[in-house]
Amino acid sequence: MTEPAAYQQAPVCPRHPERVSYVSCQRCGRPVCPECQRPAAVGVQCVDCVREGARTTRMPRTQLGGRVTDGRPVVTLTIIGVCVAVWLLQQVIPSVTGDYAFVPAYGQAQPYRFLTAAFLHGPIFHIGFNMYALWVVGSYLEPLLGRMRFAALYFVCAIGGSVGSLLLATPSVDGRASWVTASVGASGAVFGLFGALLVLNRHLGRPTGGIWVILLINAAIGFAPGIAWQAHLGGFITGVVCSLLLVATAGQSRRRWQLPLLAAVLVLVVVAAAVKYAGVAPQFLPA
């Protein structure tokens, strides 16, 4: 004998079985309680359907592969935060600068210096200009390229800047020579971003006049003691090469090659450093 409709089991929310709900999800048709309801174009959807829809929906991207988002430039802010923290550490423990700055003579035995030098800085005006430039350029490039591509570009340019210092240094034991002089700063990486910005904006047909002011200011800072203009040049050239490859693979079907190509640039930069060291006499390479 069939029970009357009034005595049939009331519909309940699958996520909260103790809650009766006569409202159904417009996508799956299951009952959905007020806590699990999400507004839809027509009616409501349950949280499970909303999550599934977000997973299967393709995010819109920029011309160069970055996801269209209004979020903060997380990578840029993280790098700035690390640089500021390291600079404060330098003030407390001065030996940090000498232990991690880039010195061409020590690069072969201590290769970590190629990267760590990019997080060290000199006087407060040095880190101030570099972080301001990084914020201005990074806030523009990171959304355009996407976080992963931007991070890869930054770190390849940072290493490229140190390699630039190495390639333009002449082996010597003279304490005043660039071969044994320490250099610090994110300038190499920042100049790489400058180079990338000029290439990418030209590709996109956007103006680049304002960037020249920051570029010239940072170029002038490059002649201050302890800051190598060679790193600026190395980073700039590296950034230009990387951005040309990004432009060449900007099409949707070719974007999968962008990160491998940036990795290839890094390999070439490392090979250039290895070739330089291979031609240096042992007496100029302290252990």
Side-chain angles (χ1 to χ4, degrees), residues 59-68 142-147 149 246 249-252 255 258:
M59 294 291 292
R61 292 182 177 272
T62 66
Q63 289 179 262
L64 294 165
R67 290 186 177 181
V68 176
E142 185 176 338
L144 185 64
L145 297 174
R147 292 173 182 171
R149 291 176 182 81
L246 291 174
T249 53
Q252 184 174 349
R255 286 176 190 159
Q258 291 180 328

Side-chain angles (χ1 to χ4, degrees), residues 32-191:
V32 53
C33 70
E35 183 179 342
C36 296
Q37 294 174 12
R38 298 294 183 270
V42 178
V44 297
Q45 291 186 5
C46 64
V47 291
D48 295 327
C49 288
V50 170
R51 186 180 298 113
E52 177 65 19
R55 187 182 67 84
T56 57
T57 300
R58 298 185 62 178
M59 294 291 292
R61 292 182 177 272
T62 66
Q63 289 179 262
L64 294 165
R67 290 186 177 181
V68 176
T69 175
D70 58 357
R72 292 185 176 183
V74 175
V75 175
T76 300
L77 289 171
T78 300
I79 295 172
I80 291 175
V82 172
C83 287
V84 172
V86 172
W87 184 80
L88 293 174
L89 183 63
Q90 289 177 256
Q91 311 315 304
V92 178
I93 310 176
S95 61
V96 169
T97 304
D99 292 340
Y100 295 97
F102 181 71
V103 182
Y106 298 149
Q108 186 179 48
Q110 301 170 350
Y112 56 83
R113 290 176 180 264
F114 281 92
L115 181 59
T116 56
F119 296 96
L120 302 169
H121 287 85
I124 190 169
F125 76 86
H126 181 211
I127 187 173
F129 274 118
N130 274 350
M131 294 304 98
Y132 172 71
L134 175 56
W135 167 252
V136 172
V137 183
S139 297
Y140 175 79
L141 286 181
E142 185 176 338
L144 185 64
L145 297 174
R147 292 173 182 171
M148 187 171 295
R149 291 176 182 81
F150 176 77
L153 173 66
Y154 183 87
F155 286 107
V156 172
C157 290
I159 296 174
S162 295
V163 172
S165 293
L166 169 66
L167 296 180
L168 294 174
T170 302
S172 171
V173 294
D174 185 351
R176 295 171 297 178
S178 58
W179 184 252
V180 291
T181 300
S183 59
V184 298
S187 303
V190 171
F191 267 75

